[in-house]
């Protein structure tokens, strides 16, 4: 089934640890995104990639990094996790002219 | 600054009609999206408006007025499964999506 796969689904992490959230899509979409979703706030863009080999900063990039070595994979890394990074993280992709986003199921991250 | 406003929560009755409003102030406009998000799940695409007017898709319709910076999502013949959050998002002049905080819709029998 075509779509976006995120891993892990849920993770509890000690502050200061490094963590990578994985995202893989099989729709051959050029654009990919990482959002975080917190209660009472809209989705906030962390980083994006318009095509393989390029990345850009979104609204809340500090403390996060991404890479886009190929079309399918777009991992998000927290170099040294802090409690304020506790959130639900969604990976998304878009491929057609409307820019409709297709989302992964989300990764719930708790930093203690 | 850029801003998307929508009500935090609405309640409606099964079988009725509900209208969820969204007003926006953004730097430029390149389309408005509505997404549905059930609790604990990912958002899923409902509609896209780039020109003024009404777009109808089954029980759901979305309206846009660019001059007023206004959109609404109309849900007819409400079903219990329509209980969800509805997210409004506007694509600005840089083709970045600006998201509202979402409207939680509660459907009562």
């Amino acid at each position: 089934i075509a779509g976006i796969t995120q891993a892990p689904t849920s993770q509890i992490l000690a502050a200061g640890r490094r963590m990578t959230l994985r995202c893989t899509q099989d729709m051959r979409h050029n654009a990919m995104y990482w959002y975080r979703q917190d209660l009472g706030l809209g989705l906030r863009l962390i980083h994006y990639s318009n095509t393989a080999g390029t990345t850009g900063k979104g609204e809340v990039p500090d403390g996060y990094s991404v890479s886009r070595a190929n079309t399918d994979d777009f991992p998000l890394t927290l170099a040294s996790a802090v409690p304020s990074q506790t959130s639900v993280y969604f990976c998304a992709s878009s491929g057609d002219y409307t820019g409709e986003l297709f989302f992964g199921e989300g990764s719930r991250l708790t930093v203690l | 600054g850029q801003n998307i406003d929508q009500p935090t929560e609405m309640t409606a009755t099964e079988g009725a009609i509900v209208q969820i409003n969204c007003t926006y102030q953004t730097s430029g406009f390149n389309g408005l999206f509505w997404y549905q998000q059930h609790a604990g799940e990912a958002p899923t695409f409902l509609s896209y408006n780039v020109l003024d007017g009404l777009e109808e898709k089954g029980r759901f319709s979305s309206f846009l007025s660019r001059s007023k910076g206004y959109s609404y999502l109309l849900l007819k013949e409400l079903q219990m499964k329509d209980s969800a959050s509805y997210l409004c998002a506007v694509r600005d002049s840089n083709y970045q999506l600006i998201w509202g905080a979402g409207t939680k819709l509660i459907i009562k029998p």
Side-chain angles (χ1 to χ4, degrees):
Chain A
I1 298 176
I4 296 182
T5 302
Q6 289 185 233
T9 303
S10 179
Q11 182 77 43
I12 298 174
L13 187 67
R17 297 296 295 268
R18 181 184 179 88
M19 178 72 194
T20 295
L21 304 180
R22 301 183 297 277
C23 175
T24 300
Q25 55 111 350
D26 61 4
M27 296 176 284
R28 307 303 294 171
H29 286 167
N30 282 322
M32 296 188 75
Y33 310 86
W34 274 105
Y35 287 95
R36 60 179 290 174
Q37 188 175 41
D38 303 289
L39 196 64
L41 300 176
L43 287 163
R44 291 184 291 169
L45 183 65
I46 304 170
H47 285 286
Y48 65 93
S49 169
N50 288 328
T51 189
T54 68
T55 62
K57 294 182 179 180
E59 179 185 357
V60 288
D62 294 344
Y64 306 95
S65 64
V66 292
S67 61
R68 187 87 183 277
N70 56 60
T71 297
D72 297 344
D73 300 302
F74 191 44
L76 175 74
T77 297
L78 290 67
S80 179
V82 295
S84 61
Q85 292 178 312
T86 293
S87 188
V88 179
Y89 292 86
F90 286 102
C91 180
S93 71
S94 67
D96 67 13
Y97 74 99
T98 67
E100 172 190 347
L101 293 182
F102 294 83
F103 286 86
E105 290 303 307
S107 296
R108 182 175 295 275
L109 184 66
T110 302
V111 183
L112 301 176
Chain B
Q2 307 201 93
N3 194 50
I4 309 286
D5 284 320
Q6 48 181 135
T8 302
E9 187 174 297
M10 299 181 70
T11 302
T13 304
E14 189 177 17
I17 299 173
V18 70
Q19 178 176 310
I20 302 174
N21 296 326
C22 171
T23 58
Y24 63 88
Q25 291 177 307
T26 57
S27 53
F29 178 86
N30 282 294
L32 184 143
F33 297 81
W34 284 97
Y35 284 78
Q36 181 189 59
Q37 185 177 25
H38 285 102
E41 298 183 7
T44 56
F45 171 80
L46 284 178
S47 69
Y48 170 69
N49 295 69
V50 66
L51 300 176
D52 290 351
L54 188 68
E55 294 280 342
E56 296 186 83
K57 192 183 294 186
R59 294 189 297 114
F60 292 9
S61 302
S62 56
F63 171 83
L64 174 67
S65 169
R66 288 172 296 170
S67 63
K68 295 182 179 179
Y70 168 70
S71 172
Y72 67 72
L73 181 69
L74 192 70
L75 291 73
K76 303 177 184 177
E77 301 170 14
L78 286 169
Q79 301 175 10
M80 297 304 292
K81 67 179 182 179
D82 297 329
S83 291
S85 288
Y86 292 85
L87 314 180
C88 175
V90 173
R91 190 161 56 195
D92 67 11
S93 57
N94 294 318
Y95 281 81
Q96 295 299 323
L97 277 178
I98 311 300
W99 293 84
T103 298
K104 182 179 181 180
L105 178 63
I106 300 168
I107 310 296
K108 295 187 174 180

